[in-house]
Amino acid sequence: GIFAVLGSCSDDKTETVAPPVVSFPVTDAEMEVDVEEEITFEAVVENDEEAGCIWYVNGVAAASTPTMTYAFTQVGLYTVRCEVYNDGGRVAKVYKVKVNGIPLEVEFSDSGDEVSCDQGDEVRISATVVGGDKEVKHSWSIDGTVVSETADFIHTFMEPGTFTLAYAGVNAYRMTATKSWTVRVAEVELPLTIEFSPVPGTIDSHRGDEVVISTSVKGGAEGLVHEWKVDGETVSTDAVFSRAFDGKGPYTIAYHAVNSKQETVDRTWTVTMVPSGALFEHFEDY
């Protein structure tokens, strides 16, 4: 009886598990898709329904089911790897995926190549994004200098001549769109137009600080004469006003300009003196 029992132990055999047999319906090892476009990968296990399955995208686990639907959110090159496994072995499949950005498509309110205007005219061109509209950044430049970063270009050409207006757009997928125009600005006789910095109004100043007001002549500059007065007294005929005030104020700065056509511009500012601190205020009491 003892030998019979011992003999029965020698008949035990460990069951051998067959490695998974897998087919992949997506057979192309290399493919191209657009960013955010969904693509479905599938592993069909033919001999073991309980086999495990893991999908990796650039080495990071992305799914643990035989079927993975995935959308790539960034432009670039990706490696998609599938591993199917059981106790008998492991089967792997690798895909190389190139993800392309969605092209940026822009339409313009002026589709031509040239724009003509007179000196002092305002030029408007609108850019409308009709494709690839994710996080679009706009840029408009005149002769290489950026003048606007909005979808609408609005600019007044104050000088005559020929200029190159260029548009450049880029979206979140690094896709670009460009266009350029030749702007021809005809010379005309402009009225006297002057811009000031700071603009007319109230200027706060500390005792002894220099007050500076600059002028920028936009038109009618021929024969132009400047005159600056402080409290009615002429103090300068320069284009830029500069003066330090030592009293308590307030002071009135008056500007007058006249050109060869007897066109005039008049502006005024009020300078108010403010204390530098508590010690200064105490000193003023005396």
Side-chain angles (χ1 to χ4, degrees), residues 235-255:
V235 295
S236 174
T237 56
D238 296 331
V240 177
F241 174 87
S242 177
R243 186 179 179 89
F245 294 91
D246 293 325
K248 293 183 179 181
Y251 302 92
T252 297
I253 301 173
Y255 172 82

Side-chain angles (χ1 to χ4, degrees), residues 48-69:
D48 186 352
E49 294 181 354
E50 297 182 359
C53 182
I54 301 180
W55 292 90
Y56 298 90
V57 177
N58 280 358
V60 178
S64 58
T65 56
T67 300
M68 178 182 75
T69 300

Side-chain angles (χ1 to χ4, degrees), residues 27-242:
T27 58
D28 293 338
E30 297 183 2
M31 63 188 71
E32 291 189 23
V33 297
D34 288 335
V35 67
E36 298 184 357
E37 175 186 353
E38 287 190 342
I39 182 171
T40 298
F41 299 91
E42 186 177 5
V44 179
V45 184
E46 300 176 356
N47 66 333
D48 186 352
E49 294 181 354
E50 297 182 359
C53 182
I54 301 180
W55 292 90
Y56 298 90
V57 177
N58 280 358
V60 178
S64 58
T65 56
T67 300
M68 178 182 75
T69 300
Y70 194 86
F72 297 89
T73 60
Q74 297 291 331
V75 175
L77 299 175
Y78 294 84
T79 298
V80 177
R81 178 181 176 87
C82 176
E83 293 188 4
V84 181
Y85 58 91
N86 62 11
D87 292 339
R90 184 178 297 260
V91 175
K93 174 73 172 179
V94 175
Y95 298 95
K96 297 293 185 180
V97 183
K98 181 182 179 183
V99 180
N100 299 315
I102 299 175
L104 176 60
E105 299 179 40
V106 181
E107 293 181 351
F108 300 92
S109 57
D110 188 327
S111 58
D113 297 321
E114 288 197 8
V115 176
S116 297
C117 67
D118 289 335
Q119 184 180 359
D121 284 353
E122 184 180 75
V123 175
R124 290 174 174 257
I125 301 177
S126 296
T128 302
V129 180
V130 296
D133 59 350
K134 186 173 182 180
E135 300 176 19
V136 178
K137 295 181 180 180
H138 308 275
S139 177
W140 299 86
S141 63
I142 298 175
D143 290 343
T145 301
V146 175
V147 295
S148 175
E149 293 182 332
T150 64
D152 297 319
F153 171 80
I154 304 173
H155 186 79
T156 301
F157 288 85
M158 300 303 300
E159 300 295 334
T162 300
F163 306 88
T164 298
L165 170 63
Y167 168 86
V170 61
N171 63 13
Y173 313 117
R174 301 193 296 274
M175 307 297 283
T176 61
T178 59
K179 182 172 174 56
S180 64
W181 296 260
T182 298
V183 182
R184 304 188 188 280
V185 183
E187 184 174 7
V188 297
E189 190 173 0
L190 296 176
L192 178 58
T193 304
I194 304 175
E195 293 181 355
F196 299 88
S197 179
V199 297
T202 300
I203 300 175
D204 292 332
S205 178
H206 297 293
R207 175 180 289 184
D209 286 355
E210 191 174 53
V211 173
V212 178
I213 303 174
S214 62
T215 61
S216 177
V217 181
K218 300 299 183 180
E222 185 175 351
L224 183 63
V225 177
H226 307 273
E227 182 183 36
W228 299 90
K229 291 184 178 182
V230 175
D231 292 341
E233 180 182 350
T234 300
V235 295
S236 174
T237 56
D238 296 331
V240 177
F241 174 87
S242 177

